[in-house]
C-alpha cells in the first residue's frame, strides 16, 4: 500500500508531529509506503512529491511548521480548460501508485477532503485549527500552544499594568471563535475578555476598566481579533466600523486602546501577537495529541476506514465521519464565558 | 454561609488558582464567606486560620505553591489522649462558625475528606496529583506543567546526545504510575520510556540503546522514579535492588546510567529533575483546569452536594462521589504504552 | 542615616531587583534606614512614602515592574504658585528626615537627579533603559530581557516563514536607538534588520526579501519602531510619512508589510510586540546586573559619593558622574551593524 | 584559501552559532573555502571531513550541540607506532589542501591548539566553556544559557519551599569554578551558595538553613558540583569524603540533603540538573556572543593573526594570544562572593 500525506491551510504547531506519527507507524507496523505531497492540495494537483521515510521525519517532532509545506490551494476552485481538480488528483495518484491520502488541515482542507472522498478518492482526515473551533473533537493540536504563548504575554504585562498605571490590551487570534481569548484570558487573569461570539458593549468595557483603575492595579484586556462592538454602537462609531460592524483600521485592539484613552484619560497600549501564536515548538499537550492523531490516522487507513477523521473525546482518539466534522463551527458557549466573567473588572 | 478551604499533600502547580476560583465565585456569586485553614489538616485540627477574601487571592493565579501552606498531617492518625481528630475538627469548625470544607488534595487528603464527610462534616473535594493517577478524572492540574518541564529538559538533551555521542537519562516523577514519563517521553521523542506499570528487561533496554548508537544519534531514556527491572533480573542484581525489586541507591536513573556504561562502553549521564516538576508557575492548561475546579467546587458547596469531588470529563467539569474517586489508582494502560513503543529504539 | 528610593519612567525588568539590593545591603551592612517614595518624582514632591524594610523586598527579585510604582512626573516641570519642585522635595525630605536619594531611572529621571544634586540634594543614580542607549554603561538591565523576548518571537516565526511562504515582520522597541532590533535580529537570524540610526532604502529591503523568497525559506524582517525610510523616499511616500519621515499610521511594521505585499505579490504579516518587551520576570543577566547595581548604589551613598550613578564596565560596577551619564545617546555604531549585515538576504 | 573548522570538548550552547558566523563571513566577505572536521581532533587526525557551505549552516543558529560533532580526542595523547598526532594532522591538512584551522573548544582543546600553532600549524581559537572559567575573556558563550536554566529551576523551587516547609537543594555544574552557582544563585535568590573556591563550613550552612526555617520561607541551597566541606570536617565525615575532601557517593547535593535532614529534622530534597545545562537552544546573549566570535575568528584568519583566540572585553571582541588564554583558571573572586553573601540566610 502506498499512501500520500499533505498539510493544508495556515501554520499550526504540531503538524510535523502528526506527519512523524503517520510515517513511523505506517512503515513499521503496517508496511505502508508513504509519499509526501508538497504545499497542500497543490502537491497532488501537480504531482509534486517528496520522499517520506523514517529519515525524513527524524528530529521534526519539536519543530513548528510542516516539512511538507502548505498552501491555500483548493482543488474545487481550480479552474481552467480540460480536467477538473478532482480528475487531476485521481490521475496523479494513479500515476504515482498512491492508493489513499492522509489529509491534515482545517475546515477548508477537510471540506475538500470530504468531497474528494465522496468522489472516490480514499481519504482519512486529521483536524487542524489553531482556533479550536472544529465541532467534532474536544481539542485540536496547536491550540494549547497558542494559548500558552498568549498567556505568557499577558503574564508579562501584569507587572507593568500594576506599577505603571496604564491599560494594556492584547489582541489574539480568533476570527469567528473566541477560544484562544477565553483560555488565555482565563489563564492570564485578564480583567475583560472580548470574543466574536459576544458583541461587546463599549460602555461596559470602559466601566470594568475604570473600576480596575480604582484599585492599585491597572486593567488588562484580552480581545480576539474578530470581536466587535454591539450594533447599538454602530451608529455612533460608524466612521471606524465597516458594514459588518468590524473595526476598520488597525484592528480591534487599537480601537479599544483609543477608546480607553479617550474616555478614561489614562494611557493604553496594545500588543498584537499575530503569527507568533501559530509558529514555533509545540507544547507537550500538542505534541502528544498530534502524535496520537498521526498514529490513529494511519491506523484508520490500514483499517480502510476512509471518509473519517480522527478526533479527541476525553482521553481517547476516535473516528468521526468527515462530513460531520466540518458541519458547524464550535463556538464558545454561554456557560464557559460566564466562568470567565467571574473574574471581570 | 461560612466555608473553610485547605490544601494538603505535596506541591502541585495550580493550587492557588483553585483557591482563587473558590474565593471569587464564593464571595461574588453566592455571598459565601471563606476562611483559609493553614497547612492542610493541621489548620482545622488546631483552628489555625487566615483570612481569605478577594484581596488575599489577588495576583496568586500564576504562582505555584499554595498561600494556605500544606502538610501531610492526617486527622485519622492524630493520636493522643482526649478527643479524636474528627472531634477536634468538628469542635473547631463549630467554634469558628465554619459550615463546610473545600478540601484540595491527593489520595490521602481526599481519603480523609471522604471519611470526615461520612462522619458528618460537609465536604467537597478537589483532586490534586502531579502524577495524574486518580481514576475519576481525565486529568488533574499540575500534571501538564510537570510534563512540559520534563519535555523541555529532554529537548535540551537531544542536541548533546546527537553531537556528543553519549546516552542521556532523565529520571522523572511517578512512583506508582508512569503518566509523566509516558507523556514527557512521547512529547520529547525519547528512545525508551520506562514506567512502574511495566517492569523492564534490562537487556532489551540495552539493545534499544545500542541500536540507537548505530545511527549518528545517541539515545535518550526517560524513566519514572518508580520503574524497576523485571523479577528475572532480581537474582543477578540482588546487591543493587531491595526486597521489592526497587533500586537501592542513587535511584533508577543512576542504575541505568551505570548499566549502559558497563555494557555499551559509551558514556551515560543522568538528570534527576526532582521537585522542579512540582513547583513554579502552571501552564495554561493547568491554570484553566484549576480555576474551573475552584469555580465548580464552590458551586457544589452552594448546591450542598457534599461528599463529592469535582472532576474533568472531556471538556466538562462534573461531580463524582469522593469514595469512588479514591477507589483505585489510574495506571497507564497497555494500549497507551504501545503508542509510545512505536518510537522506541 | 535615612535614604529614600524611587523609580521613574517606563517599565523595565529588574527594577525590583535593584530595590532589593539597595535595601538588603543598606540595612544589613550599613545600618541605613530606607524609605520608598511612590510613583517616581511624585513621591518626594508629595511626601508619599511606603515602608522599605527586609520584609517589603521579600520575594520581589523575580518580579517585573516596581513595588514603588512609577510615573513620568518631572520636578522641573511642576508649575504653579508658591514653591518650586526642588523646594518641595527639599522640604519633604527634611520633614521625613531623609538625607539622600537613590534614583532609579532613564535619561529624564537621571537628568532631573543631576540637577537636584547640583541644587544640593544628595543623589546616587541607577541607570535604567530598556533600549540600552545610555552612553556611560556597557549595558543596562532590562535590555537582555527585551532582546530574549523578541528573539523567542522571531524563533517562532521561522517555521511559519519556511513552510508557509509568507514574509513576517516583527516590530520591536527602539525609538532612537536600534540595540534591541540589532541584538534580537542577530540572535533570531533575521534576514533584514532596520534601525533608526540607518534610514532604510525600501528598494534594497524588497530586494533582500525577494532574494530570500527564491530559496525555500521566506524572509523575516526585524524593525525598530523608530526606523524610517531614507529621505529620497519621502517625496514618493509623502502621504504615509509625517514631516520627520516617520511612518504616520499603524507603525513602520505595517508600512513594511504593505510595501512587501504590493511589490512582491506575496503575503506579509506583522507582529507588534509592544509592552511585552518591558514587563515580566527578568533574565538571569538582568537580575544579576540589577542586583549588583543596587548593592553598589547604596555603597556609593554610604561612601557619600553623591552626584554619581553606577555603571557596568566589562564585569565591574563603577561610578560615573551623573552629568556625563546622560550627556549623549549611545547609538548602534557602523561596525556593529556591519556584523549583522553579513546575514542579510 | 581553505580553512578547517572543528569543535572539541563537552557540549555548550552556541557552538553552531560560531560555526555559522565563521562560514557566512568566510565565504561571503573573504572568499575563503571552509571544511568541517568531524568530532574534534579526531577529524584532522583521521582526515574525516564534511562540507561546510552556506547551505550546511542554514537554520543552525538556534540549535544547541554542534553539527560537526565533538570528542575528547587529544592529538598529543595519540600514541602508537609511526607518525605523531601533529604529523598526521599536518599531512592530512596538506592532503586536503587546508591552510589553517579555526578551533572551537575549552582549556584542553585550546591547549592543544596552542601547541599545534607553535608546531607550525596556523590556528585561530574560539574559547568555549560552560563554566566561564577562562581568564582571557569577560564571558564565554553557553554560560548565560546554563545560568538561565539553573535560575529557572530555582524559580520553580521557591513556591514549594515557601508552602511546603522543606529545604531544596540544586546541584549545578562547576567542578573547579563556581560561576554558574554564583550567578544562578544570585539571580534565583538562593539562601546559600556553595562554590569550589570556598570550602564550606557545614555548621554555618545548617545555621543559615535553620534561620530560614524560622521565617515562613524554607531555604534553597545552590551548590556547585565541585564544592566541598572544609578540611576541619574531613575527620568527622571521613566515611563520606574521599582523600581530596570530595563527597564520595551521590554528589555533594545529596550529601547536603542528608546533613540537613539529620541535623534539622526537616525534609530536604535535591535536584541534579546535569546535562540539561549544556544543551538546547542558546539565550540571546550567547547567540550574539557566539556569532560575533565566529565573525571575528575568521577575520583573524583572513588577517593571518594566527596563534590567537578571540575574546570579549566589555562590548568589544579582541584577540588574545592562545598561550595567555589558557594560562590560568578564572575563579570567583572574594568580592563577587561577598555580593552574594548579602542575601544568605
Amino acid at each position: 500500500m502506498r499512501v500520500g500525506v499533505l498539510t493544508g491551510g495556515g501554520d499550526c504547531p504540531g503538524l510535523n508531529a502528526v506527519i512523524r506519527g503517520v510515517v513511523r507507524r505506517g512503515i513499521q507496523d503496517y508496511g505502508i509506503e508513504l509519499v509526501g505531497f508538497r504545499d497542500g492540495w497543490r502537491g497532488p494537483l501537480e504531482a509534486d512529491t517528496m520522499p517520506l521515510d523514517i529519515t525524513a521525519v527524524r528530529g521534526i517532532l519539536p519543530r513548528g511548521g510542516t516539512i511538507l509545506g502548505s498552501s491555500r490551494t483548493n482543488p474545487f476552485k481550480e479552474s481552467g480548460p480540460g480536467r477538473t481538480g478532482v480528475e487531476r488528483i485521481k490521475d496523479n495518484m494513479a500515476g504515482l501508485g498512491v492508493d489513499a491520502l492522509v489529509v491534515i488541515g482545517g475546515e477548508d482542507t477537510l471540506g475538500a477532503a470530504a468531497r474528494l472522498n465522496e468522489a472516490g478518492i480514499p481519504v482519512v482526515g486529521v483536524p487542524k485549527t489553531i482556533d479550536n473551533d472544529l465541532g467534532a473533537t474536544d481539542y485540536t493540536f496547536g491550540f494549547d500552544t497558542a494559548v500558552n504563548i498568549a498567556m505568557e504575554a499577558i503574564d508579562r504585562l501584569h507587572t507593568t499594568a500594576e506599577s505603571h498605571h496604564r491599560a494594556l490590551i492584547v489582541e489574539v487570534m480568533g476570527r469567528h471563535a473566541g477560544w484562544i481569548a477565553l483560555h488565555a484570558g482565563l489563564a492570564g487573569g485578564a480583567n475583560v475578555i472580548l470574543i466574536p461570539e459576544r458583541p461587546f458593549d463599549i460602555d461596559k468595557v470602559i466601566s470594568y476598566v475604570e473600576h480596575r483603575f480604582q484599585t492599585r492595579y491597572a486593567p488588562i484586556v484580552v480581545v480576539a481579533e474578530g470581536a466587535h462592538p454591539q450594533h447599538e454602537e454602530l451608529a455612533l462609531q460608524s466612521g471606524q466600523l465597516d458594514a459588518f460592524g468590524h473595526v476598520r483600521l488597525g484592528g480591534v485592539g487599537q480601537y479599544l486602546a483609543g477608546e480607553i484613552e479617550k474616555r478614561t484619560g489614562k494611557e493604553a497600549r496594545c500588543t498584537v501577537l499575530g503569527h507568533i501564536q501559530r509558529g514555533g515548538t509545540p507544547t507537550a499537550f500538542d505534541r502528544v495529541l498530534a502524535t496520537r492523531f498521526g498514529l490513529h490516522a494511519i491506523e484508520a487507513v490500514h483499517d480502510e476506514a476512509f471518509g473519517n477523521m480522527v478526533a479527541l473525546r476525553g482521553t481517547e482518539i476516535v473516528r468521526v465521519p468527515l462530513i460531520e466534522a466540518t458541519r458547524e463551527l464550535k463556538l464558545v458557549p454561554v456557560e464557559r464565558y460566564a466562568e470567565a466573567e467571574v473574574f471581570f473588572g
Side-chain angles (χ1 to χ4, degrees), chain A:
Chain A
M1 199 175 189
R2 211 166 135 89
V3 174
V5 185
L6 66 87
T7 51
D11 202 6
C12 190
L15 289 167
N16 281 325
V18 178
I19 298 167
R20 175 175 170 267
V22 167
V23 170
R24 291 292 296 259
R25 180 173 269 179
I27 293 173
Q28 293 170 198
D29 290 11
Y30 305 127
I32 291 172
E33 194 183 339
L34 291 149
V35 179
F37 283 112
R38 285 188 203 275
D39 296 343
W41 291 114
R42 198 188 61 71
L45 281 165
E46 302 181 8
D48 189 359
T49 65
M50 60 178 277
L52 209 49
D53 55 13
I54 301 284
T55 306
V57 299
R58 195 155 268 164
I60 68 172
L61 169 64
R63 313 209 68 197
T66 157
I67 57 168
L68 298 176
S70 184
S71 71
R72 298 207 183 272
T73 303
N74 186 326
F76 294 97
K77 288 179 184 158
E78 292 290 292
S79 61
R83 298 172 302 158
T84 63
V86 180
E87 287 164 347
R88 282 161 62 194
I89 291 176
K90 278 191 179 171
D91 290 356
N92 286 334
M93 285 176 67
L96 293 159
V98 170
D99 308 299
L101 295 177
V102 172
V103 174
I104 310 162
E107 224 192 339
D108 287 352
T109 311
L110 294 185
R115 289 175 66 186
L116 287 172
N117 191 73
E118 282 163 30
I121 299 175
V123 175
V124 166
V126 176
K128 181 231 66 164
T129 151
I130 203 94
D131 293 328
N132 197 37
D133 56 2
L134 271 174
T137 182
D138 281 0
Y139 290 104
T140 43
F141 62 88
F143 171 66
D144 185 62
T145 303
V147 170
N148 273 284
I149 292 167
M151 177 194 79
E152 283 166 22
I154 301 169
D155 278 0
R156 291 213 160 263
L157 296 178
H158 269 289
T159 56
T160 303
E162 285 169 28
S163 50
H164 288 73
H165 318 293
R166 46 179 63 173
L168 295 165
I169 295 117
V170 189
E171 186 181 307
V172 300
M173 289 200 160
R175 213 164 274 285
H176 306 294
W179 290 106
I180 293 178
L182 181 79
H183 278 238
L186 202 53
N191 307 109
V192 190
I193 299 170
L194 304 175
I195 61 175
E197 292 90 335
R198 304 264 295 213
F200 57 84
D201 176 345
I202 184 75
D203 292 330
K204 207 167 168 193
V205 173
I206 296 293
S207 81
Y208 283 133
V209 164
E210 280 184 325
H211 174 260
R212 184 77 179 174
F213 268 127
Q214 280 156 23
T215 69
R216 58 172 276 258
Y217 295 84
I220 291 180
V221 179
V222 174
V223 57
E225 58 185 334
H228 51 90
Q230 290 174 4
H231 288 291
E232 301 86 278
E233 286 299 305
L234 261 177
L236 297 165
Q237 309 290 347
S238 56
Q240 288 175 287
L241 301 177
D242 66 18
F244 306 100
H246 284 93
V247 175
R248 233 188 245 286
L249 274 176
V252 64
Q254 281 299 348
Y255 162 76
L256 285 166
E259 290 299 303
I260 290 170
E261 293 210 335
K262 206 167 62 190
R263 297 190 188 205
T264 68
K266 307 268 182 169
E267 279 186 75
R269 292 285 179 278
C270 179
T271 287
V272 181
L273 289 179
H275 269 56
I276 62 171
Q277 294 163 89
R278 301 190 87 100
T281 196
T283 58
F285 185 94
D286 284 338
R287 293 193 202 175
V288 170
L289 179 58
T291 297
R292 296 182 74 200
F293 272 180
L295 296 174
H296 287 260
I298 195 70
E299 189 181 278
V301 169
H302 175 72
D303 294 350
E304 302 190 2
F306 299 114
N308 288 302
M309 71 168 208
V310 292
L312 179 71
R313 294 277 168 83
T315 61
E316 297 303 306
I317 310 294
V318 299
R319 293 172 192 169
V320 182
L322 269 170
I323 357 170
E324 256 184 55
T326 55
R327 198 170 289 157
E328 62 178 296
L329 223 53
K330 181 176 63 179
L331 298 176
V332 173
V334 172
E335 59 275 18
R336 288 300 309 278
Y337 191 70
E339 289 177 4
E341 284 179 305
V342 172
F343 304 98
F344 281 13

